[in-house]
Amino acid sequence: MGLFLPYEKMWDMSLGGVSKEKQIPHWFGNVVYVVVGGVCKLLFRYEVSGRENLRAFKDKCGAVVVCNHTSFLDVAFIYLSARTKQWIRLMGRDSLFDNAHGLVGQILSRVGAFPVKRDTSDRAAIKRATRMLKDDELVGILPEGTRRGKGSKIPSLHAGAAFIAKMGHVPLLPMAVRNAEDVKRKGERFRFPKITIEYGSPIVLADFDFLPKADRLEACTWYAMRECFALSRRIPAKDVDMVELFPETRDYAAVFEEHPIPVRTPQEAISACR
């Protein structure tokens, strides 16, 4: 294949998973992993905890990987944490793909990312994500949309991550990139803290069926994000103040206090989604 490929062609190609169709060429992603992974290992001494929860899905079931968004480096560490055995197809803001006269779009698309139009029901992105999941690929979503603390927009949560998981008949897998927000704080110089990526336990959508249908997907995304912040802060999920984090989003803490969601193993989550 040529050095440059049309974006749309790569967005609709497979990368990992069980599809027999032609995949995005792996060579570029492998080079990125070696170069970026080497630099990040040297500067941040990063390590991955709970990766067995991600590896369990390989060639058995897709999953929607969700993460809170505190740093511009989050996406790099999400990508690195899955390699070399798996690829996470990150869903990114569509405007990113045209930066640097399209060079950024080539790089992002080569490593499996695909665009979504923010604040809209982007049917094309949902359709692509659903196809990937049904081919047992991993789709990565940052439900906050943009980095926390950037701009004046009040953080809010929507049901998108859970909706895509429902369409693909797969579980959600919460994760966190710890200490990345300390690399560059406003008004301060760059720092090089030790970075830890941690995966939690998978979340099965069927466990939320006790809720009214209209609330299930939003509640599931809320629950998944609470798990992400619990991993990030190393505290029990019940101690995460979601009202402070998402003041305009309904608080489901009392609901889950009354009706605890079972902690699932990856094997249980895979069985539940078949």
Side-chain angles (χ1 to χ4, degrees), residues 150-207:
K150 181 183 178 183
S152 58
K153 187 176 180 180
I154 298 175
S156 62
L157 284 178
H158 304 285
F163 177 74
I164 290 172
K166 179 183 178 182
M167 295 295 291
H169 305 290
V170 301
L172 293 162
L173 183 63
M175 68 169 296
V177 180
R178 194 179 297 128
N179 297 330
E181 66 274 16
D182 294 331
V183 173
K184 181 65 175 75
R185 293 188 178 275
K186 188 174 181 180
E188 299 180 6
R189 292 190 294 179
F190 277 94
R191 298 179 180 180
F192 302 97
K194 182 177 177 61
I195 302 292
T196 301
I197 303 104
E198 184 167 359
Y199 285 93
S201 299
I203 297 167
V204 176
L205 270 68
D207 290 336

Side-chain angles (χ1 to χ4, degrees), residues 91 114 124-134 137 139 141 164 168:
M91 182 182 285
F114 62 103
I126 293 171
K127 183 177 180 180
R128 286 187 177 111
T130 300
R131 177 192 57 77
M132 294 169 187
L133 294 169
K134 289 183 176 180
E137 296 185 54
V139 173
I141 298 177
I164 290 172

